[in-house]
Amino acid sequence: MADLSRKRDRERLSVRREPHWQRLDAGAYLGFRRGPDTWLVRYRARDGQQQYKSIGEAIDFDEAKRQAEDWLQQLTGSAMRSVTRSTVRQALEDYLGDLSRHGRQSAAIDALRRFKKVIYKDPLADIALERASRDDFEEWR
């Protein structure tokens, strides 16, 4: 893969229909099409579907990357994620612990009952929290 951040390297790329891609994150790529010198962004969801967006032309790498990350954030909820909990189940258990720490025992018991009935049996519960997207929650809902 080419390093698209350097203008000199971009000028050396071959002219072709298929863009030259640079990885931004898992499943997320920034592309540069030599010739018309246009930028694109590509995202592959866990279900394997790819989505593309044309960013434009005559902009530098930093601006193209910023626009790509903005689009990825809208699409997935966050372009770059930081790990705070391992799974959706763990986040819910942390929430239950927080309810208990604040003296809301009855709310924690009620929430646990609902989580066991509605969420814990669903595959959503075992998805890594930092990899879960808005689409996952909408599909579950």
Side-chain angles (χ1 to χ4, degrees):
M1 264 186 218
D3 181 9
L4 301 178
S5 64
R6 292 190 213 115
K7 185 175 183 179
R8 185 175 185 165
D9 288 350
R10 289 194 307 270
E11 291 172 350
R12 293 180 179 170
L13 295 172
S14 60
V15 176
R16 62 182 195 187
R17 179 168 163 59
E18 176 64 21
H20 298 271
W21 297 103
Q22 180 171 326
R23 185 175 190 262
L24 296 176
D25 197 12
Y29 293 84
L30 179 63
F32 180 76
R33 185 177 288 135
R34 183 74 175 107
D37 292 351
T38 55
W39 294 94
L40 300 102
V41 62
R42 171 181 90 190
Y43 175 72
R44 181 186 301 269
R46 271 194 305 278
D47 62 4
Q49 284 190 323
Q50 291 197 68
Q51 297 183 26
Y52 295 86
K53 179 176 177 21
S54 176
I55 296 175
E57 55 186 81
I59 57 176
D60 64 357
F61 173 79
D62 293 332
E63 178 63 19
K65 184 177 177 189
R66 187 193 61 74
Q67 288 183 26
E69 289 174 345
D70 288 348
W71 181 71
L72 290 166
Q73 185 174 11
Q74 290 175 356
L75 192 63
T76 65
S78 175
M80 305 298 170
R81 299 180 177 135
S82 60
V83 180
T84 56
R85 293 172 189 87
S86 58
T87 62
V88 172
R89 179 187 313 269
Q90 181 62 45
L92 294 174
E93 289 171 359
D94 289 349
Y95 171 70
L96 294 172
D98 189 60
L99 286 174
S100 296
R101 276 191 304 278
H102 287 89
R104 299 187 59 202
Q105 294 297 335
S106 62
I109 292 168
D110 183 52
L112 176 61
R113 183 179 51 82
R114 291 171 192 266
F115 292 162
K116 284 181 178 179
K117 183 177 181 181
V118 178
I119 298 173
Y120 286 171
K121 294 178 183 176
D122 195 273
L124 175 72
D126 297 319
I127 294 177
L129 188 62
E130 71 275 4
R131 304 287 300 164
S133 67
R134 178 185 299 169
D135 291 338
D136 293 325
F137 290 99
E138 286 178 356
E139 182 180 320
W140 167 79
R141 189 180 67 199

